Amino acid sequence: MIMKSFGSNIREYRKLKNLSQQQLGELLGFSARTVSDWECGNTEPDIKTIKLLSKVLDIPIEYLFDF
């Protein structure tokens, strides 16, 4: 079984919504670079941002943590 990281989950669901990193960043109030850092695992969003991220991507929060 391949373990998926939190960042790759963000990437997967962002792509399913047909959003670029720039578009997702704008919806969340962050830069595309910040979204890229999350997806690469360099940084992680805070809990408030995770909640907003789940709303924007229209998924339960748990899906972001599904490894």
Side-chain angles (χ1 to χ4, degrees), residues 4-67:
K4 293 193 324 185
S5 70
F6 181 78
S8 64
N9 288 340
I10 294 172
R11 180 182 302 113
E12 178 181 338
Y13 290 110
R14 173 181 60 79
K15 288 185 175 187
L16 286 173
K17 294 292 275 188
N18 293 311
L19 294 170
S20 67
Q21 289 177 338
Q22 180 69 38
Q23 291 168 320
L24 180 58
E26 288 173 1
L27 290 170
L28 298 171
F30 292 93
S31 68
R33 178 65 189 172
T34 299
V35 174
S36 175
D37 283 343
W38 296 338
E39 291 181 357
C40 292
N42 297 329
T43 61
E44 294 177 351
D46 63 25
I47 192 66
K48 285 183 178 182
T49 305
I50 292 171
K51 185 176 178 181
L52 181 57
L53 188 57
S54 74
K55 286 183 180 185
V56 168
L57 296 176
D58 196 29
I59 57 170
I61 289 175
E62 295 82 14
Y63 283 30
L64 293 169
F65 294 96
D66 183 24
F67 298 101

